[in-house]
Amino acid sequence: MLKTGLKIYQNKALDEVREILAPHTSRAYLVGGCVRDSILGREIYDYDIEVYDISPDKFDNIMQDVGASGVGKSYFIYKFKEFDLGLPRTENKIGLRHTDFEVSYCNDEKAASQRRDFSINALMLNIFNGELIDNWSGLSDLRNSSIRHIDDEKFCEDPLRVLRAVQFASRLNFKISQKTLELMKTLDLSWLSKDRIACELLKFFKAKHLEVGTFYLYELGLFDKLFNLKISRDELDDFCKKLQNARKFIDSSKLFLYLLSNEFSLNLTQILKELKLPKIYEKILKEPFYKDQPSDFEFLQIAQNLPLKQWLGCYSQKRVDRAKKLGYYDEQLEIKIDAASIIQQGFTGKAVGEQIELKKNEEIEKILAEKGLNKSKFDKIQD
């Protein structure tokens, strides 16, 4: 055991939990991602506490007495303020579905932590004395920026851990250990529901280091399975470099699919449907894409709909610099055209829209001319 001064242990909100549990046990631990992220100095979103030395019936009564709400069917998972409190357990696979697990109460820290996927997620921090339990060398793996599974048999019980490793690698900028990667290659994702796959992909899409997860998707042969795409190693390397650079400027979770679908001419509509991704990702279809640097004219056409810093295509230093020079990086370009006057001229139906677009383009040319910049949409700036 190691004594720690982690700020998570000093969290004042824990005082009430300690007060509730202290009469019944001295073994209650913060577990999982909150301990990992606290050590890494990352922001913490979920607090999980595992409570030992209390029987299931007694724990149920305690939680009901303090008004905690039950959020899980297995082993009394309760929500109390920002904490999820539960009892330690072991899990054994008894069927093919992800819900086909036999769950048993377990009052031993090492045995209970063995069910977790990776060593970095199996660290335990005692909420009473600040002692850190590291049964599976998770601290060493954190220091080495390594993702390593705990147990071969347990790991293979849920193929979703393949995608969990990918999204953790992308979020943390960690390497997956070679032994774990080789084991991941043996797992078949076909048993997974589309909803579970989508859940992990959404975490990957938000990651800072998209290039890391992209490399592992390639290594695992998942580009073909997930996106119906076969790419060469050279194409992968080029794409990873573009993702790494683009992430410096674009924080959106839509960036990966925007670049993937456009760089490789994929049917994004079909991908979104097959992967059951949220409708918000359909907005990518409306985002203009230019493989080469857009002209000033094209920049301002886009700026009519949103500030250029919000455009997914503003993903390089040169594009950002140009957008700022044009003056519409932070602000949207507003061009007002009097539709009534166009109708009065005798235009009807689609012709009205065409005339509005024509006049907007004329206004863009005027703006560019006043700035002494390239006014034609054919005047390209080289990337």
Side-chain angles (χ1 to χ4, degrees), residues 25-66:
T25 181
S26 61
R27 291 199 300 158
Y29 303 93
L30 285 160
V31 295
C34 64
V35 182
R36 176 199 69 223
D37 289 341
S38 180
I39 293 171
L40 292 174
R42 294 170 60 88
E43 188 171 356
I44 300 171
Y45 298 98
D46 299 305
Y47 294 86
D48 296 310
I49 296 176
E50 206 164 65
V51 183
Y52 288 73
D53 299 333
I54 301 179
S55 70
D57 288 342
K58 186 175 182 180
F59 182 68
D60 184 33
N61 291 333
I62 294 170
M63 291 295 98
Q64 289 191 36
D65 287 343
V66 298

Side-chain angles (χ1 to χ4, degrees), residues 337-347 359:
I337 303 298
D338 185 4
S341 65
I342 293 175
I343 294 172
Q344 287 176 0
Q345 295 174 38
F347 292 99
K359 290 187 177 297

Side-chain angles (χ1 to χ4, degrees), residues 329-348:
Y329 182 71
D330 295 297
E331 297 180 10
Q332 184 173 331
L333 171 61
E334 293 187 15
I335 298 177
K336 296 181 180 179
I337 303 298
D338 185 4
S341 65
I342 293 175
I343 294 172
Q344 287 176 0
Q345 295 174 38
F347 292 99
T348 59

Side-chain angles (χ1 to χ4, degrees), residues 10 16 20 57 88 125 149-150 198 204 278 305 331 337 374 381:
Q10 300 163 4
E16 193 169 355
I20 293 168
D57 288 342
L125 180 67
H149 72 285
I150 293 174
F204 162 59
N305 298 314
E331 297 180 10
I337 303 298
N374 302 307
I381 310 291

Side-chain angles (χ1 to χ4, degrees), residues 61-128:
N61 291 333
I62 294 170
M63 291 295 98
Q64 289 191 36
D65 287 343
V66 298
S69 57
V71 294
K73 295 180 180 179
S74 297
Y75 272 83
F76 307 101
I77 306 299
Y78 281 91
K79 188 77 174 179
F80 179 73
K81 299 191 175 178
E82 68 258 57
F83 302 101
D84 286 346
L85 292 91
L87 297 182
R89 63 190 185 273
T90 58
E91 297 173 347
N92 294 299
K93 189 76 170 174
I94 56 174
L96 297 177
R97 295 176 304 174
H98 78 276
T99 55
D100 291 338
F101 278 90
E102 181 182 66
V103 180
S104 302
Y105 175 70
C106 173
N107 203 40
D108 177 77
E109 293 104 330
K110 187 169 185 176
S113 63
Q114 190 175 10
R115 71 180 175 84
R116 299 192 178 274
D117 47 12
F118 307 110
S119 64
I120 60 174
N121 294 334
L123 294 161
M124 307 172 69
L125 180 67
N126 190 303
I127 68 171
F128 296 111

Side-chain angles (χ1 to χ4, degrees), residues 192-224:
L192 299 174
S193 70
K194 295 292 179 65
D195 289 332
R196 296 188 79 209
I197 290 174
C199 183
E200 297 305 315
L201 286 178
L202 292 176
K203 295 173 186 176
F204 162 59
F205 294 156
K206 295 177 182 178
K208 181 178 181 180
H209 301 279
L210 291 171
E211 75 282 358
V212 176
T214 298
F215 167 77
Y216 284 121
L217 289 176
Y218 176 85
E219 286 289 296
L220 293 162
L222 293 178
F223 268 102
D224 190 15

Side-chain angles (χ1 to χ4, degrees), residues 224-235:
D224 190 15
K225 183 173 183 60
L226 296 174
F227 308 112
N228 194 27
L229 173 66
K230 292 180 173 64
I231 61 174
S232 68
R233 183 55 188 262
D234 287 342
E235 288 175 321

